[in-house]
């Protein structure tokens, strides 16, 4: 069996300026950084279910890492490093969309 290599997928989603302003009202730049944690992201990823196995990607052990990168504009980029259940899994693009969907409404999410 071939070893699976984690794929680095960058969650691409921009919050609207209206939502960003709502979350940033009355806060300094320092207070505005990191509106969410790795644990928050991990909890959201538990909503992403592998369609073949019916188990979420976190409990399947497919998530290898979650990196949060604060940006100067107050948003936070999320980098999820994950693998798929099998080499060449045809559901990769669907799982990527599901990850994006699960994280879409985190406050001040960047890319």
């Amino acid at each position: 069996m071939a070893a699976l290599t984690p794929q680095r997928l960058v969650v691409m989603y921009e919050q609207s300026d209206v939502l960003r302003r709502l979350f940033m009202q009355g806060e300094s730049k320092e207070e505005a950084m990191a509106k969410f944690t790795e644990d928050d992201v991990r909890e959201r990823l538990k909503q992403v279910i592998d369609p073949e196995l019916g188990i979420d990607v976190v409990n399947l052990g497919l998530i290898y890492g979650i990196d949060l990168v604060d940006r100067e504009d107050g948003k936070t980029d999320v980098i999820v490093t994950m693998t798929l259940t099998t080499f060449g899994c045809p559901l990769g693009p669907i799982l990527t969309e599901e990850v994006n969907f699960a994280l879409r409404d985190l406050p001040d999410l960047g890319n």
Side-chain angles (χ1 to χ4, degrees):
M1 177 177 204
L4 298 179
T5 325
Q7 297 177 0
R8 191 160 226 209
L9 95 98
V10 179
V11 178
M12 303 296 283
Y13 191 84
E14 285 287 329
Q15 288 285 348
S16 72
D17 284 335
V18 174
L19 288 176
R20 184 176 58 77
R21 279 188 235 124
L22 284 174
F23 286 111
M24 302 253 318
Q25 278 183 340
E27 298 176 350
S28 69
K29 185 176 178 181
E30 292 77 27
E31 291 171 330
M33 300 304 254
K35 293 279 189 186
F36 52 89
T37 65
E38 283 184 38
D39 289 336
D40 296 329
V41 172
R42 192 171 305 280
E43 282 303 309
R44 299 284 179 108
L45 292 176
K46 288 181 180 178
Q47 300 170 15
V48 179
I49 307 297
D50 182 289
E52 293 179 323
L53 301 174
I55 302 171
D56 68 85
V57 294
V58 173
N59 286 311
L60 275 173
L62 302 181
I63 305 300
Y64 286 16
I66 298 169
D67 296 307
L68 305 179
V69 180
D70 290 328
R71 299 186 337 193
E72 289 183 16
D73 64 0
K75 294 183 181 186
T76 303
D77 293 340
V78 177
I79 301 171
V80 177
T81 305
M82 65 180 291
T83 191
L84 302 172
T85 53
T86 59
F87 181 74
C89 177
L91 298 174
I94 293 169
L95 288 175
T96 300
E97 284 180 31
E98 291 296 317
V99 166
N100 281 307
F101 187 78
L103 303 180
R104 76 193 179 288
D105 60 352
L106 285 170
D108 291 320
L109 180 65
N111 294 322

